[in-house]
mmCIF file with all atom_site columns, all heavy atoms in Angstrom:
data_model
loop_
_atom_site.group_PDB
_atom_site.id
_atom_site.type_symbol
_atom_site.label_atom_id
_atom_site.label_alt_id
_atom_site.label_comp_id
_atom_site.label_asym_id
_atom_site.label_entity_id
_atom_site.label_seq_id
_atom_site.pdbx_PDB_ins_code
_atom_site.Cartn_x
_atom_site.Cartn_y
_atom_site.Cartn_z
_atom_site.occupancy
_atom_site.B_iso_or_equiv
_atom_site.pdbx_formal_charge
_atom_site.auth_seq_id
_atom_site.auth_comp_id
_atom_site.auth_asym_id
_atom_site.auth_atom_id
_atom_site.pdbx_PDB_model_num
ATOM 1   N N   . ASP A 1 1  ? 0.831  -1.199  0.000   1.00 96.00 ? 1  ASP A N   1
ATOM 2   C CA  . ASP A 1 1  ? 0.000  0.000   0.000   1.00 96.00 ? 1  ASP A CA  1
ATOM 3   C C   . ASP A 1 1  ? 0.872  1.258   0.000   1.00 96.00 ? 1  ASP A C   1
ATOM 4   O O   . ASP A 1 1  ? 0.648  2.181   -0.778  1.00 96.00 ? 1  ASP A O   1
ATOM 5   C CB  . ASP A 1 1  ? -0.911 -0.001  1.235   1.00 96.00 ? 1  ASP A CB  1
ATOM 6   C CG  . ASP A 1 1  ? -1.794 1.239   1.299   1.00 96.00 ? 1  ASP A CG  1
ATOM 7   O OD1 . ASP A 1 1  ? -2.761 1.316   0.520   1.00 96.00 ? 1  ASP A OD1 1
ATOM 8   O OD2 . ASP A 1 1  ? -1.492 2.140   2.111   1.00 96.00 ? 1  ASP A OD2 1
ATOM 9   N N   . PHE A 1 2  ? 1.873  1.280   0.857   1.00 95.00 ? 2  PHE A N   1
ATOM 10  C CA  . PHE A 1 2  ? 2.750  2.448   1.017   1.00 95.00 ? 2  PHE A CA  1
ATOM 11  C C   . PHE A 1 2  ? 3.467  2.784   -0.283  1.00 95.00 ? 2  PHE A C   1
ATOM 12  O O   . PHE A 1 2  ? 3.571  3.950   -0.669  1.00 95.00 ? 2  PHE A O   1
ATOM 13  C CB  . PHE A 1 2  ? 3.764  2.171   2.135   1.00 95.00 ? 2  PHE A CB  1
ATOM 14  C CG  . PHE A 1 2  ? 4.562  3.362   2.572   1.00 95.00 ? 2  PHE A CG  1
ATOM 15  C CD1 . PHE A 1 2  ? 4.088  4.220   3.548   1.00 95.00 ? 2  PHE A CD1 1
ATOM 16  C CD2 . PHE A 1 2  ? 5.803  3.631   2.003   1.00 95.00 ? 2  PHE A CD2 1
ATOM 17  C CE1 . PHE A 1 2  ? 4.823  5.328   3.956   1.00 95.00 ? 2  PHE A CE1 1
ATOM 18  C CE2 . PHE A 1 2  ? 6.545  4.729   2.399   1.00 95.00 ? 2  PHE A CE2 1
ATOM 19  C CZ  . PHE A 1 2  ? 6.053  5.578   3.383   1.00 95.00 ? 2  PHE A CZ  1
ATOM 20  N N   . TYR A 1 3  ? 3.981  1.758   -0.964  1.00 96.00 ? 3  TYR A N   1
ATOM 21  C CA  . TYR A 1 3  ? 4.751  1.977   -2.198  1.00 96.00 ? 3  TYR A CA  1
ATOM 22  C C   . TYR A 1 3  ? 3.924  1.765   -3.468  1.00 96.00 ? 3  TYR A C   1
ATOM 23  O O   . TYR A 1 3  ? 4.480  1.777   -4.568  1.00 96.00 ? 3  TYR A O   1
ATOM 24  C CB  . TYR A 1 3  ? 5.982  1.067   -2.213  1.00 96.00 ? 3  TYR A CB  1
ATOM 25  C CG  . TYR A 1 3  ? 7.017  1.485   -1.192  1.00 96.00 ? 3  TYR A CG  1
ATOM 26  C CD1 . TYR A 1 3  ? 7.268  0.708   -0.066  1.00 96.00 ? 3  TYR A CD1 1
ATOM 27  C CD2 . TYR A 1 3  ? 7.726  2.671   -1.340  1.00 96.00 ? 3  TYR A CD2 1
ATOM 28  C CE1 . TYR A 1 3  ? 8.210  1.096   0.877   1.00 96.00 ? 3  TYR A CE1 1
ATOM 29  C CE2 . TYR A 1 3  ? 8.665  3.068   -0.408  1.00 96.00 ? 3  TYR A CE2 1
ATOM 30  C CZ  . TYR A 1 3  ? 8.903  2.280   0.707   1.00 96.00 ? 3  TYR A CZ  1
ATOM 31  O OH  . TYR A 1 3  ? 9.827  2.672   1.650   1.00 96.00 ? 3  TYR A OH  1
ATOM 32  N N   . GLU A 1 4  ? 2.615  1.587   -3.311  1.00 96.00 ? 4  GLU A N   1
ATOM 33  C CA  . GLU A 1 4  ? 1.705  1.393   -4.444  1.00 96.00 ? 4  GLU A CA  1
ATOM 34  C C   . GLU A 1 4  ? 2.205  0.293   -5.386  1.00 96.00 ? 4  GLU A C   1
ATOM 35  O O   . GLU A 1 4  ? 2.313  0.470   -6.602  1.00 96.00 ? 4  GLU A O   1
ATOM 36  C CB  . GLU A 1 4  ? 1.500  2.718   -5.200  1.00 96.00 ? 4  GLU A CB  1
ATOM 37  C CG  . GLU A 1 4  ? 0.901  3.800   -4.309  1.00 96.00 ? 4  GLU A CG  1
ATOM 38  C CD  . GLU A 1 4  ? 0.753  5.143   -5.008  1.00 96.00 ? 4  GLU A CD  1
ATOM 39  O OE1 . GLU A 1 4  ? 1.345  5.327   -6.095  1.00 96.00 ? 4  GLU A OE1 1
ATOM 40  O OE2 . GLU A 1 4  ? 0.046  5.996   -4.464  1.00 96.00 ? 4  GLU A OE2 1
ATOM 41  N N   . MET A 1 5  ? 2.518  -0.843  -4.793  1.00 97.00 ? 5  MET A N   1
ATOM 42  C CA  . MET A 1 5  ? 3.027  -1.986  -5.553  1.00 97.00 ? 5  MET A CA  1
ATOM 43  C C   . MET A 1 5  ? 1.871  -2.713  -6.231  1.00 97.00 ? 5  MET A C   1
ATOM 44  O O   . MET A 1 5  ? 0.716  -2.589  -5.820  1.00 97.00 ? 5  MET A O   1
ATOM 45  C CB  . MET A 1 5  ? 3.757  -2.956  -4.624  1.00 97.00 ? 5  MET A CB  1
ATOM 46  C CG  . MET A 1 5  ? 4.915  -2.334  -3.852  1.00 97.00 ? 5  MET A CG  1
ATOM 47  S SD  . MET A 1 5  ? 6.243  -1.734  -4.917  1.00 97.00 ? 5  MET A SD  1
ATOM 48  C CE  . MET A 1 5  ? 6.993  -3.259  -5.412  1.00 97.00 ? 5  MET A CE  1
ATOM 49  N N   . GLU A 1 6  ? 2.217  -3.499  -7.248  1.00 94.00 ? 6  GLU A N   1
ATOM 50  C CA  . GLU A 1 6  ? 1.214  -4.298  -7.945  1.00 94.00 ? 6  GLU A CA  1
ATOM 51  C C   . GLU A 1 6  ? 0.627  -5.336  -6.999  1.00 94.00 ? 6  GLU A C   1
ATOM 52  O O   . GLU A 1 6  ? 1.317  -5.864  -6.133  1.00 94.00 ? 6  GLU A O   1
ATOM 53  C CB  . GLU A 1 6  ? 1.855  -5.031  -9.137  1.00 94.00 ? 6  GLU A CB  1
ATOM 54  C CG  . GLU A 1 6  ? 2.220  -4.126  -10.286 1.00 94.00 ? 6  GLU A CG  1
ATOM 55  C CD  . GLU A 1 6  ? 2.832  -4.908  -11.432 1.00 94.00 ? 6  GLU A CD  1
ATOM 56  O OE1 . GLU A 1 6  ? 2.671  -6.145  -11.470 1.00 94.00 ? 6  GLU A OE1 1
ATOM 57  O OE2 . GLU A 1 6  ? 3.463  -4.277  -12.286 1.00 94.00 ? 6  GLU A OE2 1
ATOM 58  N N   . MET A 1 7  ? -0.651 -5.615  -7.201  1.00 87.00 ? 7  MET A N   1
ATOM 59  C CA  . MET A 1 7  ? -1.309 -6.638  -6.410  1.00 87.00 ? 7  MET A CA  1
ATOM 60  C C   . MET A 1 7  ? -0.596 -7.973  -6.613  1.00 87.00 ? 7  MET A C   1
ATOM 61  O O   . MET A 1 7  ? -0.220 -8.315  -7.725  1.00 87.00 ? 7  MET A O   1
ATOM 62  C CB  . MET A 1 7  ? -2.772 -6.750  -6.841  1.00 87.00 ? 7  MET A CB  1
ATOM 63  C CG  . MET A 1 7  ? -3.684 -7.241  -5.779  1.00 87.00 ? 7  MET A CG  1
ATOM 64  S SD  . MET A 1 7  ? -5.377 -6.994  -6.333  1.00 87.00 ? 7  MET A SD  1
ATOM 65  C CE  . MET A 1 7  ? -6.134 -8.368  -5.539  1.00 87.00 ? 7  MET A CE  1
ATOM 66  N N   . GLY A 1 8  ? -0.380 -8.693  -5.565  1.00 92.00 ? 8  GLY A N   1
ATOM 67  C CA  . GLY A 1 8  ? 0.311  -9.972  -5.667  1.00 92.00 ? 8  GLY A CA  1
ATOM 68  C C   . GLY A 1 8  ? 1.808  -9.879  -5.413  1.00 92.00 ? 8  GLY A C   1
ATOM 69  O O   . GLY A 1 8  ? 2.485  -10.911 -5.375  1.00 92.00 ? 8  GLY A O   1
ATOM 70  N N   . ASN A 1 9  ? 2.357  -8.670  -5.245  1.00 97.00 ? 9  ASN A N   1
ATOM 71  C CA  . ASN A 1 9  ? 3.772  -8.542  -4.935  1.00 97.00 ? 9  ASN A CA  1
ATOM 72  C C   . ASN A 1 9  ? 4.073  -9.215  -3.600  1.00 97.00 ? 9  ASN A C   1
ATOM 73  O O   . ASN A 1 9  ? 3.363  -9.020  -2.623  1.00 97.00 ? 9  ASN A O   1
ATOM 74  C CB  . ASN A 1 9  ? 4.179  -7.061  -4.859  1.00 97.00 ? 9  ASN A CB  1
ATOM 75  C CG  . ASN A 1 9  ? 5.604  -6.899  -4.364  1.00 97.00 ? 9  ASN A CG  1
ATOM 76  O OD1 . ASN A 1 9  ? 6.547  -7.406  -4.966  1.00 97.00 ? 9  ASN A OD1 1
ATOM 77  N ND2 . ASN A 1 9  ? 5.757  -6.215  -3.232  1.00 97.00 ? 9  ASN A ND2 1
ATOM 78  N N   . ARG A 1 10 ? 5.151  -10.012 -3.551  1.00 97.00 ? 10 ARG A N   1
ATOM 79  C CA  . ARG A 1 10 ? 5.531  -10.706 -2.314  1.00 97.00 ? 10 ARG A CA  1
ATOM 80  C C   . ARG A 1 10 ? 6.974  -10.386 -1.906  1.00 97.00 ? 10 ARG A C   1
ATOM 81  O O   . ARG A 1 10 ? 7.532  -11.033 -1.023  1.00 97.00 ? 10 ARG A O   1
ATOM 82  C CB  . ARG A 1 10 ? 5.348  -12.212 -2.481  1.00 97.00 ? 10 ARG A CB  1
ATOM 83  C CG  . ARG A 1 10 ? 3.910  -12.582 -2.858  1.00 97.00 ? 10 ARG A CG  1
ATOM 84  C CD  . ARG A 1 10 ? 3.534  -13.975 -2.482  1.00 97.00 ? 10 ARG A CD  1
ATOM 85  N NE  . ARG A 1 10 ? 3.427  -14.194 -1.062  1.00 97.00 ? 10 ARG A NE  1
ATOM 86  C CZ  . ARG A 1 10 ? 2.368  -13.864 -0.306  1.00 97.00 ? 10 ARG A CZ  1
ATOM 87  N NH1 . ARG A 1 10 ? 1.340  -13.264 -0.841  1.00 97.00 ? 10 ARG A NH1 1
ATOM 88  N NH2 . ARG A 1 10 ? 2.355  -14.137 0.979   1.00 97.00 ? 10 ARG A NH2 1
ATOM 89  N N   . SER A 1 11 ? 7.573  -9.396  -2.534  1.00 97.00 ? 11 SER A N   1
ATOM 90  C CA  . SER A 1 11 ? 8.973  -9.073  -2.294  1.00 97.00 ? 11 SER A CA  1
ATOM 91  C C   . SER A 1 11 ? 9.121  -7.665  -1.723  1.00 97.00 ? 11 SER A C   1
ATOM 92  O O   . SER A 1 11 ? 8.466  -6.727  -2.187  1.00 97.00 ? 11 SER A O   1
ATOM 93  C CB  . SER A 1 11 ? 9.738  -9.189  -3.618  1.00 97.00 ? 11 SER A CB  1
ATOM 94  O OG  . SER A 1 11 ? 11.096 -8.933  -3.414  1.00 97.00 ? 11 SER A OG  1
ATOM 95  N N   . MET A 1 12 ? 9.985  -7.527  -0.704  1.00 98.00 ? 12 MET A N   1
ATOM 96  C CA  . MET A 1 12 ? 10.235 -6.215  -0.089  1.00 98.00 ? 12 MET A CA  1
ATOM 97  C C   . MET A 1 12 ? 11.734 -5.931  -0.050  1.00 98.00 ? 12 MET A C   1
ATOM 98  O O   . MET A 1 12 ? 12.525 -6.813  0.279   1.00 98.00 ? 12 MET A O   1
ATOM 99  C CB  . MET A 1 12 ? 9.682  -6.170  1.339   1.00 98.00 ? 12 MET A CB  1
ATOM 100 C CG  . MET A 1 12 ? 8.185  -6.359  1.439   1.00 98.00 ? 12 MET A CG  1
ATOM 101 S SD  . MET A 1 12 ? 7.571  -6.159  3.145   1.00 98.00 ? 12 MET A SD  1
ATOM 102 C CE  . MET A 1 12 ? 8.097  -7.708  3.894   1.00 98.00 ? 12 MET A CE  1
ATOM 103 N N   . ASP A 1 13 ? 12.083 -4.706  -0.358  1.00 98.00 ? 13 ASP A N   1
ATOM 104 C CA  . ASP A 1 13 ? 13.459 -4.233  -0.253  1.00 98.00 ? 13 ASP A CA  1
ATOM 105 C C   . ASP A 1 13 ? 13.702 -3.786  1.189   1.00 98.00 ? 13 ASP A C   1
ATOM 106 O O   . ASP A 1 13 ? 12.897 -3.040  1.753   1.00 98.00 ? 13 ASP A O   1
ATOM 107 C CB  . ASP A 1 13 ? 13.659 -3.066  -1.224  1.00 98.00 ? 13 ASP A CB  1
ATOM 108 C CG  . ASP A 1 13 ? 15.027 -2.463  -1.108  1.00 98.00 ? 13 ASP A CG  1
ATOM 109 O OD1 . ASP A 1 13 ? 15.958 -2.969  -1.742  1.00 98.00 ? 13 ASP A OD1 1
ATOM 110 O OD2 . ASP A 1 13 ? 15.171 -1.471  -0.344  1.00 98.00 ? 13 ASP A OD2 1
ATOM 111 N N   . SER A 1 14 ? 14.799 -4.228  1.794   1.00 98.00 ? 14 SER A N   1
ATOM 112 C CA  . SER A 1 14 ? 15.059 -3.941  3.209   1.00 98.00 ? 14 SER A CA  1
ATOM 113 C C   . SER A 1 14 ? 15.163 -2.452  3.516   1.00 98.00 ? 14 SER A C   1
ATOM 114 O O   . SER A 1 14 ? 14.651 -1.988  4.539   1.00 98.00 ? 14 SER A O   1
ATOM 115 C CB  . SER A 1 14 ? 16.346 -4.642  3.668   1.00 98.00 ? 14 SER A CB  1
ATOM 116 O OG  . SER A 1 14 ? 16.187 -6.021  3.537   1.00 98.00 ? 14 SER A OG  1
ATOM 117 N N   . GLU A 1 15 ? 15.818 -1.703  2.645   1.00 98.00 ? 15 GLU A N   1
ATOM 118 C CA  . GLU A 1 15 ? 15.951 -0.260  2.872   1.00 98.00 ? 15 GLU A CA  1
ATOM 119 C C   . GLU A 1 15 ? 14.590 0.431   2.808   1.00 98.00 ? 15 GLU A C   1
ATOM 120 O O   . GLU A 1 15 ? 14.321 1.366   3.556   1.00 98.00 ? 15 GLU A O   1
ATOM 121 C CB  . GLU A 1 15 ? 16.922 0.355   1.867   1.00 98.00 ? 15 GLU A CB  1
ATOM 122 C CG  . GLU A 1 15 ? 18.357 -0.013  2.159   1.00 98.00 ? 15 GLU A CG  1
ATOM 123 C CD  . GLU A 1 15 ? 19.339 0.636   1.199   1.00 98.00 ? 15 GLU A CD  1
ATOM 124 O OE1 . GLU A 1 15 ? 18.939 1.550   0.436   1.00 98.00 ? 15 GLU A OE1 1
ATOM 125 O OE2 . GLU A 1 15 ? 20.511 0.224   1.216   1.00 98.00 ? 15 GLU A OE2 1
ATOM 126 N N   . ARG A 1 16 ? 13.724 -0.063  1.933   1.00 98.00 ? 16 ARG A N   1
ATOM 127 C CA  . ARG A 1 16 ? 12.386 0.526   1.823   1.00 98.00 ? 16 ARG A CA  1
ATOM 128 C C   . ARG A 1 16 ? 11.515 0.157   3.033   1.00 98.00 ? 16 ARG A C   1
ATOM 129 O O   . ARG A 1 16 ? 10.655 0.933   3.437   1.00 98.00 ? 16 ARG A O   1
ATOM 130 C CB  . ARG A 1 16 ? 11.720 0.086   0.514   1.00 98.00 ? 16 ARG A CB  1
ATOM 131 C CG  . ARG A 1 16 ? 12.450 0.652   -0.713  1.00 98.00 ? 16 ARG A CG  1
ATOM 132 C CD  . ARG A 1 16 ? 11.763 0.236   -1.988  1.00 98.00 ? 16 ARG A CD  1
ATOM 133 N NE  . ARG A 1 16 ? 10.886 1.324   -2.424  1.00 98.00 ? 16 ARG A NE  1
ATOM 134 C CZ  . ARG A 1 16 ? 10.027 1.228   -3.431  1.00 98.00 ? 16 ARG A CZ  1
ATOM 135 N NH1 . ARG A 1 16 ? 9.887  0.085   -4.083  1.00 98.00 ? 16 ARG A NH1 1
ATOM 136 N NH2 . ARG A 1 16 ? 9.285  2.247   -3.767  1.00 98.00 ? 16 ARG A NH2 1
ATOM 137 N N   . ILE A 1 17 ? 11.754 -1.010  3.613   1.00 98.00 ? 17 ILE A N   1
ATOM 138 C CA  . ILE A 1 17 ? 11.061 -1.363  4.866   1.00 98.00 ? 17 ILE A CA  1
ATOM 139 C C   . ILE A 1 17 ? 11.453 -0.365  5.950   1.00 98.00 ? 17 ILE A C   1
ATOM 140 O O   . ILE A 1 17 ? 10.604 0.148   6.682   1.00 98.00 ? 17 ILE A O   1
ATOM 141 C CB  . ILE A 1 17 ? 11.394 -2.804  5.320   1.00 98.00 ? 17 ILE A CB  1
ATOM 142 C CG1 . ILE A 1 17 ? 10.819 -3.835  4.352   1.00 98.00 ? 17 ILE A CG1 1
ATOM 143 C CG2 . ILE A 1 17 ? 10.862 -3.060  6.741   1.00 98.00 ? 17 ILE A CG2 1
ATOM 144 C CD1 . ILE A 1 17 ? 11.279 -5.260  4.609   1.00 98.00 ? 17 ILE A CD1 1
ATOM 145 N N   . SER A 1 18 ? 12.762 -0.063  6.045   1.00 98.00 ? 18 SER A N   1
ATOM 146 C CA  . SER A 1 18 ? 13.261 0.893   7.050   1.00 98.00 ? 18 SER A CA  1
ATOM 147 C C   . SER A 1 18 ? 12.629 2.266   6.874   1.00 98.00 ? 18 SER A C   1
ATOM 148 O O   . SER A 1 18 ? 12.213 2.898   7.854   1.00 98.00 ? 18 SER A O   1
ATOM 149 C CB  . SER A 1 18 ? 14.784 1.036   6.957   1.00 98.00 ? 18 SER A CB  1
ATOM 150 O OG  . SER A 1 18 ? 15.412 -0.152  7.336   1.00 98.00 ? 18 SER A OG  1
ATOM 151 N N   . TYR A 1 19 ? 12.547 2.719   5.630   1.00 96.00 ? 19 TYR A N   1
ATOM 152 C CA  . TYR A 1 19 ? 11.979 4.037   5.367   1.00 96.00 ? 19 TYR A CA  1
ATOM 153 C C   . TYR A 1 19 ? 10.493 4.063   5.718   1.00 96.00 ? 19 TYR A C   1
ATOM 154 O O   . TYR A 1 19 ? 10.010 5.002   6.357   1.00 96.00 ? 19 TYR A O   1
ATOM 155 C CB  . TYR A 1 19 ? 12.184 4.428   3.897   1.00 96.00 ? 19 TYR A CB  1
ATOM 156 C CG  . TYR A 1 19 ? 11.571 5.771   3.569   1.00 96.00 ? 19 TYR A CG  1
ATOM 157 C CD1 . TYR A 1 19 ? 12.200 6.950   3.971   1.00 96.00 ? 19 TYR A CD1 1
ATOM 158 C CD2 . TYR A 1 19 ? 10.351 5.855   2.903   1.00 96.00 ? 19 TYR A CD2 1
ATOM 159 C CE1 . TYR A 1 19 ? 11.621 8.190   3.695   1.00 96.00 ? 19 TYR A CE1 1
ATOM 160 C CE2 . TYR A 1 19 ? 9.769  7.080   2.623   1.00 96.00 ? 19 TYR A CE2 1
ATOM 161 C CZ  . TYR A 1 19 ? 10.408 8.249   3.020   1.00 96.00 ? 19 TYR A CZ  1
ATOM 162 O OH  . TYR A 1 19 ? 9.832  9.465   2.763   1.00 96.00 ? 19 TYR A OH  1
ATOM 163 N N   . MET A 1 20 ? 9.762  3.024   5.313   1.00 96.00 ? 20 MET A N   1
ATOM 164 C CA  . MET A 1 20 ? 8.334  2.951   5.627   1.00 96.00 ? 20 MET A CA  1
ATOM 165 C C   . MET A 1 20 ? 8.124  2.943   7.146   1.00 96.00 ? 20 MET A C   1
ATOM 166 O O   . MET A 1 20 ? 7.251  3.651   7.659   1.00 96.00 ? 20 MET A O   1
ATOM 167 C CB  . MET A 1 20 ? 7.724  1.683   5.015   1.00 96.00 ? 20 MET A CB  1
ATOM 168 C CG  . MET A 1 20 ? 6.249  1.495   5.343   1.00 96.00 ? 20 MET A CG  1
ATOM 169 S SD  . MET A 1 20 ? 5.596  -0.096  4.751   1.00 96.00 ? 20 MET A SD  1
ATOM 170 C CE  . MET A 1 20 ? 6.301  -1.229  5.961   1.00 96.00 ? 20 MET A CE  1
ATOM 171 N N   . LEU A 1 21 ? 8.933  2.171   7.852   1.00 96.00 ? 21 LEU A N   1
ATOM 172 C CA  . LEU A 1 21 ? 8.826  2.101   9.308   1.00 96.00 ? 21 LEU A CA  1
ATOM 173 C C   . LEU A 1 21 ? 9.049  3.472   9.937   1.00 96.00 ? 21 LEU A C   1
ATOM 174 O O   . LEU A 1 21 ? 8.289  3.898   10.819  1.00 96.00 ? 21 LEU A O   1
ATOM 175 C CB  . LEU A 1 21 ? 9.845  1.094   9.862   1.00 96.00 ? 21 LEU A CB  1
ATOM 176 C CG  . LEU A 1 21 ? 9.936  1.001   11.389  1.00 96.00 ? 21 LEU A CG  1
ATOM 177 C CD1 . LEU A 1 21 ? 8.600  0.575   12.000  1.00 96.00 ? 21 LEU A CD1 1
ATOM 178 C CD2 . LEU A 1 21 ? 11.050 0.037   11.790  1.00 96.00 ? 21 LEU A CD2 1
ATOM 179 N N   . GLU A 1 22 ? 10.067 4.168   9.465   1.00 95.00 ? 22 GLU A N   1
ATOM 180 C CA  . GLU A 1 22 ? 10.356 5.525   9.965   1.00 95.00 ? 22 GLU A CA  1
ATOM 181 C C   . GLU A 1 22 ? 9.153  6.446   9.773   1.00 95.00 ? 22 GLU A C   1
ATOM 182 O O   . GLU A 1 22 ? 8.771  7.191   10.677  1.00 95.00 ? 22 GLU A O   1
ATOM 183 C CB  . GLU A 1 22 ? 11.578 6.077   9.223   1.00 95.00 ? 22 GLU A CB  1
ATOM 184 C CG  . GLU A 1 22 ? 12.045 7.424   9.690   1.00 95.00 ? 22 GLU A CG  1
ATOM 185 C CD  . GLU A 1 22 ? 13.183 7.943   8.813   1.00 95.00 ? 22 GLU A CD  1
ATOM 186 O OE1 . GLU A 1 22 ? 14.079 7.156   8.451   1.00 95.00 ? 22 GLU A OE1 1
ATOM 187 O OE2 . GLU A 1 22 ? 13.146 9.140   8.484   1.00 95.00 ? 22 GLU A OE2 1
ATOM 188 N N   . GLN A 1 23 ? 8.532  6.365   8.611   1.00 93.00 ? 23 GLN A N   1
ATOM 189 C CA  . GLN A 1 23 ? 7.358  7.200   8.336   1.00 93.00 ? 23 GLN A CA  1
ATOM 190 C C   . GLN A 1 23 ? 6.174  6.807   9.216   1.00 93.00 ? 23 GLN A C   1
ATOM 191 O O   . GLN A 1 23 ? 5.446  7.669   9.715   1.00 93.00 ? 23 GLN A O   1
ATOM 192 C CB  . GLN A 1 23 ? 6.959  7.096   6.856   1.00 93.00 ? 23 GLN A CB  1
ATOM 193 C CG  . GLN A 1 23 ? 8.013  7.575   5.880   1.00 93.00 ? 23 GLN A CG  1
ATOM 194 C CD  . GLN A 1 23 ? 8.490  8.989   6.178   1.00 93.00 ? 23 GLN A CD  1
ATOM 195 O OE1 . GLN A 1 23 ? 7.694  9.915   6.247   1.00 93.00 ? 23 GLN A OE1 1
ATOM 196 N NE2 . GLN A 1 23 ? 9.782  9.147   6.384   1.00 93.00 ? 23 GLN A NE2 1
ATOM 197 N N   . LEU A 1 24 ? 5.985  5.505   9.430   1.00 94.00 ? 24 LEU A N   1
ATOM 198 C CA  . LEU A 1 24 ? 4.880  5.040   10.274  1.00 94.00 ? 24 LEU A CA  1
ATOM 199 C C   . LEU A 1 24 ? 5.098  5.420   11.735  1.00 94.00 ? 24 LEU A C   1
ATOM 200 O O   . LEU A 1 24 ? 4.146  5.741   12.448  1.00 94.00 ? 24 LEU A O   1
ATOM 201 C CB  . LEU A 1 24 ? 4.709  3.521   10.142  1.00 94.00 ? 24 LEU A CB  1
ATOM 202 C CG  . LEU A 1 24 ? 4.159  3.013   8.811   1.00 94.00 ? 24 LEU A CG  1
ATOM 203 C CD1 . LEU A 1 24 ? 4.256  1.500   8.728   1.00 94.00 ? 24 LEU A CD1 1
ATOM 204 C CD2 . LEU A 1 24 ? 2.725  3.469   8.593   1.00 94.00 ? 24 LEU A CD2 1
ATOM 205 N N   . LEU A 1 25 ? 6.357  5.390   12.179  1.00 92.00 ? 25 LEU A N   1
ATOM 206 C CA  . LEU A 1 25 ? 6.649  5.742   13.571  1.00 92.00 ? 25 LEU A CA  1
ATOM 207 C C   . LEU A 1 25 ? 6.513  7.240   13.818  1.00 92.00 ? 25 LEU A C   1
ATOM 208 O O   . LEU A 1 25 ? 6.120  7.662   14.900  1.00 92.00 ? 25 LEU A O   1
ATOM 209 C CB  . LEU A 1 25 ? 8.068  5.284   13.953  1.00 92.00 ? 25 LEU A CB  1
ATOM 210 C CG  . LEU A 1 25 ? 8.263  3.785   14.144  1.00 92.00 ? 25 LEU A CG  1
ATOM 211 C CD1 . LEU A 1 25 ? 9.745  3.449   14.237  1.00 92.00 ? 25 LEU A CD1 1
ATOM 212 C CD2 . LEU A 1 25 ? 7.521  3.284   15.381  1.00 92.00 ? 25 LEU A CD2 1
ATOM 213 N N   . ASN A 1 26 ? 6.831  8.041   12.807  1.00 89.00 ? 26 ASN A N   1
ATOM 214 C CA  . ASN A 1 26 ? 6.838  9.497   12.993  1.00 89.00 ? 26 ASN A CA  1
ATOM 215 C C   . ASN A 1 26 ? 5.550  10.190  12.575  1.00 89.00 ? 26 ASN A C   1
ATOM 216 O O   . ASN A 1 26 ? 5.251  11.272  13.050  1.00 89.00 ? 26 ASN A O   1
ATOM 217 C CB  . ASN A 1 26 ? 8.025  10.120  12.245  1.00 89.00 ? 26 ASN A CB  1
ATOM 218 C CG  . ASN A 1 26 ? 9.343  9.631   12.819  1.00 89.00 ? 26 ASN A CG  1
ATOM 219 O OD1 . ASN A 1 26 ? 9.450  9.387   14.016  1.00 89.00 ? 26 ASN A OD1 1
ATOM 220 N ND2 . ASN A 1 26 ? 10.337 9.456   11.973  1.00 89.00 ? 26 ASN A ND2 1
ATOM 221 N N   . GLY A 1 27 ? 4.786  9.588   11.670  1.00 78.00 ? 27 GLY A N   1
ATOM 222 C CA  . GLY A 1 27 ? 3.525  10.202  11.245  1.00 78.00 ? 27 GLY A CA  1
ATOM 223 C C   . GLY A 1 27 ? 2.449  9.950   12.287  1.00 78.00 ? 27 GLY A C   1
ATOM 224 O O   . GLY A 1 27 ? 2.256  8.827   12.703  1.00 78.00 ? 27 GLY A O   1
#
């Protein structure tokens, strides 16, 4: 949802997980 990925995507980039987490913790 955060990165507007295609439906069915099952792969995550570790650096992008970190960035998303930072945004979720601070927003």
Side-chain angles (χ1 to χ4, degrees):
D1 179 74
F2 190 87
Y3 290 110
E4 300 177 346
M5 302 297 286
E6 288 181 17
M7 207 169 148
N9 173 59
R10 302 204 69 80
S11 182
M12 298 185 285
D13 176 85
S14 298
E15 287 182 12
R16 294 181 97 188
I17 293 171
S18 293
Y19 178 76
M20 178 186 75
L21 175 61
E22 184 185 318
Q23 298 306 304
L24 289 171
L25 287 169
N26 296 326

